Amino acid sequence: MSETSPGVVLSDEVREAVASGAPVLALETTILTHGLPRPRNLEVGLAAEEQLRAAGVVPATIGVVDGVAHVGIDRPTMERLCADEWVVKLSVRDLPVAAARGLSGGTTVAATAWLAHAAGIRVMSTGGLGGVHRGASETFDESADLPTLARTPITLVSAGVKSILDVAATLERLETLNIPVVGYRTTAYPGFYVADSGYTLEHRVETPDEVAAVAAARDALGLPAAVLVANPVAEDEQLDPDLHERVLAEALAAADAAGIAGHDTTPFLLDFVQRATGGASLEANLAVYRGNVALGGEIARAVAG
């Protein structure tokens, strides 16, 4: 293992790949620690890494163990994070607390992007982004993903923001924060479980090389924000849109009735949707993730040249 700064350790594989300019793709761990049921979470984490290695890309799964941020984790570490019921969810603001207290946890999109960029990794994949929550005009509930991505020049592949959020408000915030969003072979902004959220994007790209060109132009201009690549789930793997709308409305009503608020909102809603769809939303989530990992790997290769 190689230390890049106090409290941050790169695996030898990742360090060597970054140093040589080989393609590397960063992956978050909250999808494993907080987003998927056990033992499916471990299966998904290992499969994503195998998928990338088969494509000639080095996976850099990022997590925190005993207060130390690891950029690139080995199998025993992934097994530990996936099995431990007491691991916490860590955004950027939580990293110094975790370091001081020796906590272990999964890193959010924000924390993963920040750590990946600090390690010299230029591309990352996730499932769905955090964003502006419904009712944020009163609660001010907005994910730390957005301001972090506004100052972290990485290329990030996602299937839009989680559909439980206020998609329109999130797109407005992305514009205000000067974060470019490009649709991958589409101008329809994806809705996480579904291919089309009902909102339109101004820009689209057709190939990984085009994405790499956008990122290179961003860097040449000295702009600080991430480039967001919106990659929709395949239509034959999406959650039925009508079912999605009905269950989402039920989930929001249930959260309101139960007084769920703050950081408890997202896990409550996702769990409700999963149970109400008989697990169909979980399968759509996994299809989203596989597709984003695959595209992220292709973009990492294009960025590496």
Side-chain angles (χ1 to χ4, degrees):
M1 306 294 283
S2 174
E3 189 169 298
T4 184
S5 64
V8 182
V9 173
L10 272 66
S11 70
D12 291 339
E13 181 185 29
V14 170
R15 176 181 52 78
E16 292 167 6
V18 170
S20 67
V24 183
L25 183 69
L27 300 171
E28 51 135 323
T29 40
T30 53
I31 188 173
L32 306 180
T33 58
H34 292 78
L36 297 173
R38 301 179 182 88
R40 194 80 181 270
N41 56 349
L42 178 60
E43 296 170 8
V44 169
L46 294 173
E49 293 203 340
E50 291 170 6
Q51 177 182 350
L52 289 170
R53 288 197 172 96
V57 178
V58 173
T61 303
I62 296 176
V64 175
V65 180
D66 298 331
V68 178
H70 289 259
V71 179
I73 59 177
D74 56 20
R75 178 166 181 152
T77 301
M78 186 181 292
E79 290 175 346
R80 175 179 170 183
L81 288 174
C82 287
D84 188 348
E85 296 182 3
W86 300 106
V87 291
V88 293
K89 186 175 181 179
L90 300 170
S91 190
V92 175
R93 70 166 191 170
D94 306 305
L95 294 176
V97 179
R101 297 181 60 194
L103 302 178
S104 297
T107 50
T108 63
V109 168
T112 303
W114 187 83
L115 289 165
H117 174 65
I121 299 170
R122 296 187 283 173
V123 187
M124 174 186 164
S125 285
T126 187
L129 293 179
V132 179
H133 285 255
R134 296 166 190 257
S137 59
E138 296 181 1
T139 64
F140 295 93
D141 192 355
E142 176 184 320
S143 172
D145 291 353
L146 301 187
T148 299
L149 292 171
R151 59 179 185 272
T152 307
I154 199 164
T155 298
L156 176 57
V157 180
S158 76
V161 297
K162 295 179 178 68
S163 56
I164 58 176
L165 303 174
D166 188 329
V167 177
T170 300
L171 287 171
E172 289 290 345
R173 285 292 289 148
L174 290 169
E175 180 180 351
T176 299
L177 292 168
N178 289 317
I179 301 174
V181 185
V182 295
Y184 190 72
R185 299 176 179 172
T186 185
T187 54
Y189 189 62
F192 188 49
Y193 293 127
V194 294
D196 185 353
S197 68
Y199 296 91
T200 302
L201 292 172
E202 186 175 356
H203 305 292
R204 65 182 281 167
V205 290
E206 304 297 329
T207 67
D209 285 338
E210 285 189 50
V211 178
V214 172
R218 181 266 323 270
D219 295 341
L221 289 164
L223 297 174
V227 171
L228 302 186
V229 182
N231 183 40
V233 63
E235 289 191 6
D236 61 352
E237 293 184 297
Q238 70 177 341
L239 189 62
D240 176 79
D242 292 334
L243 174 63
H244 172 261
E245 287 300 317
R246 176 176 62 80
V247 170
L248 179 56
E250 294 172 356
L252 292 167
D256 185 60
I260 303 296
H263 68 271
D264 294 326
T265 303
T266 295
F268 176 89
L269 293 174
L270 293 177
D271 180 66
F272 185 102
V273 171
Q274 181 179 323
R275 288 184 287 105
T277 60
S281 67
L282 174 59
E283 297 309 315
N285 188 354
L286 295 178
V288 162
Y289 191 57
R290 285 192 299 269
N292 290 345
V293 169
L295 179 57
E298 293 177 16
I299 293 170
R301 289 200 304 271
V303 167

